[in-house]
Amino acid sequence: MKVSIITVCFNAESVIKTAIESVLAQDYQDIEYIIIDGASTDKTMQIVQAYGDRIHHVISEPDEGLYYAMNKGVAVATGDIVGILNADDVYADHQVISKVVDSFKNNQVDMTFADLVYVKADDLSQIVRYYPGKGFEPEKFAKGMMPPHPTYFVRRELYEKYEAFNTRYRICADFDLMVRFFVTHKRPYSYIPGVIVHMRVGGNSAWGRNTRQINREMLHSLRSHGVQTSLLKIYSKYFTKIFQLLAKPA
């Protein structure tokens, strides 16, 4: 079972090496690694090129944003399973992709996800917040909740059959994609116990940034897919995030 991993980056010279190393260190052998760069002006591409053919596909050209780049990666992927690792994220250990493949094989599912921890940008061992995938059910989308996207792996055929990221959403195209796959198309899924990704604090949709636009995009996506909700219901997710600050991974 071949796994395609996509990393999208732009001017990521300070973080791209740790993302690449965490992919190349995986003990699972059949991995296709794809890097989509938005024509970086720093040393990102010099770092990427230093790995030679260990990175199977590299595209560096201007694009129209994060989800356009992700779609570009999905379009060139040839794996049975596709996962997306952000440039400032790392896999938690060397067995992550092995666990992912086992989850697909053992559970006969089309999607799988796990837990994630936010960590300090300058110290990946310092946990700031725990973001569990455990306990997620599709009904929680109505509250603006979703599994951690960097832990989310999908059979490539779902992208081909149901389309990839809707680029009308600037921040929440990943949320919209999951609503389609989980709710509209009701594809079977599984949960992998434990943390598989460390995410540096910050990012495009980080807590406290772009809050109004995030929630309005979520509302539009949910209503467009026939999910009954409201802005008030979506804002209620922030109570859950407060508890995540106190929770610790098992």
Side-chain angles (χ1 to χ4, degrees), residues 95-150:
Q95 294 81 44
V96 167
I97 303 304
S98 293
K99 295 172 189 174
V100 167
V101 172
D102 286 345
S103 186
F104 276 93
K105 288 181 176 179
N106 297 336
N107 299 294
Q108 296 296 303
V109 294
D110 289 341
M111 310 177 288
T112 194
F113 56 87
D115 302 338
L116 173 151
V117 288
Y118 288 91
V119 295
K120 288 187 176 181
D122 58 352
D123 186 349
L124 302 184
S125 68
Q126 291 295 310
I127 296 174
V128 175
R129 178 160 68 93
Y130 174 46
Y131 181 178
K134 182 179 181 179
F136 177 81
E137 297 176 346
E139 293 76 13
K140 292 186 177 182
F141 281 117
K143 294 184 178 180
M145 300 171 69
M146 61 188 276
H149 187 243

Side-chain angles (χ1 to χ4, degrees), residues 54-125:
R54 298 181 72 191
I55 301 172
H56 302 89
H57 300 282
V58 178
I59 299 174
S60 182
E61 61 188 17
D63 57 49
E64 297 182 60
L66 176 66
Y67 297 114
Y68 288 91
M70 287 184 180
N71 282 344
K72 198 181 299 182
V74 169
V76 300
T78 62
D80 303 289
I81 299 167
V82 178
I84 295 175
L85 184 74
N86 301 323
D88 50 0
D89 301 342
V90 298
Y91 287 128
D93 56 57
H94 303 331
Q95 294 81 44
V96 167
I97 303 304
S98 293
K99 295 172 189 174
V100 167
V101 172
D102 286 345
S103 186
F104 276 93
K105 288 181 176 179
N106 297 336
N107 299 294
Q108 296 296 303
V109 294
D110 289 341
M111 310 177 288
T112 194
F113 56 87
D115 302 338
L116 173 151
V117 288
Y118 288 91
V119 295
K120 288 187 176 181
D122 58 352
D123 186 349
L124 302 184
S125 68

Side-chain angles (χ1 to χ4, degrees), residues 164-175:
F165 298 96
N166 185 343
T167 54
R168 72 162 293 155
Y169 299 109
R170 190 174 70 84
I171 302 177
C172 294
D174 49 355
F175 178 87

Side-chain angles (χ1 to χ4, degrees), residues 40-246:
S40 290
T41 57
D42 63 0
K43 296 180 180 178
T44 297
M45 284 307 299
Q46 291 177 239
I47 296 169
V48 171
Q49 289 164 355
Y51 290 90
D53 60 7
R54 298 181 72 191
I55 301 172
H56 302 89
H57 300 282
V58 178
I59 299 174
S60 182
E61 61 188 17
D63 57 49
E64 297 182 60
L66 176 66
Y67 297 114
Y68 288 91
M70 287 184 180
N71 282 344
K72 198 181 299 182
V74 169
V76 300
T78 62
D80 303 289
I81 299 167
V82 178
I84 295 175
L85 184 74
N86 301 323
D88 50 0
D89 301 342
V90 298
Y91 287 128
D93 56 57
H94 303 331
Q95 294 81 44
V96 167
I97 303 304
S98 293
K99 295 172 189 174
V100 167
V101 172
D102 286 345
S103 186
F104 276 93
K105 288 181 176 179
N106 297 336
N107 299 294
Q108 296 296 303
V109 294
D110 289 341
M111 310 177 288
T112 194
F113 56 87
D115 302 338
L116 173 151
V117 288
Y118 288 91
V119 295
K120 288 187 176 181
D122 58 352
D123 186 349
L124 302 184
S125 68
Q126 291 295 310
I127 296 174
V128 175
R129 178 160 68 93
Y130 174 46
Y131 181 178
K134 182 179 181 179
F136 177 81
E137 297 176 346
E139 293 76 13
K140 292 186 177 182
F141 281 117
K143 294 184 178 180
M145 300 171 69
M146 61 188 276
H149 187 243
T151 75
Y152 180 61
F153 289 79
V154 186
R155 289 191 188 273
R156 181 168 54 87
E157 62 192 55
L158 266 64
Y159 287 114
E160 296 173 346
K161 189 173 182 179
Y162 305 129
E163 299 185 354
F165 298 96
N166 185 343
T167 54
R168 72 162 293 155
Y169 299 109
R170 190 174 70 84
I171 302 177
C172 294
D174 49 355
F175 178 87
D176 175 76
L177 179 135
M178 288 193 198
V179 172
R180 283 187 282 124
F181 289 3
F182 279 89
V183 179
T184 304
H185 302 296
K186 297 180 171 59
R187 303 317 303 162
Y189 64 91
S190 62
Y191 162 73
I192 302 170
V195 173
I196 67 169
V197 174
H198 290 189
M199 172 183 276
R200 287 179 173 86
V201 289
N204 191 47
S205 59
W207 190 13
R209 297 179 61 192
N210 306 311
T211 301
R212 182 171 179 175
Q213 182 170 352
I214 291 169
N215 293 322
R216 290 195 175 278
E217 286 190 8
M218 286 181 171
L219 180 66
H220 185 279
S221 172
L222 290 165
R223 287 180 172 172
S224 71
H225 297 300
V227 179
Q228 293 188 349
T229 189
S230 65
L231 269 178
L232 182 61
K233 194 169 185 178
I234 291 171
Y235 270 95
S236 71
K237 69 178 176 288
Y238 293 109
F239 290 104
T240 300
K241 291 191 176 186
I242 291 172
F243 289 112
Q244 288 175 357
L245 290 169
L246 304 174

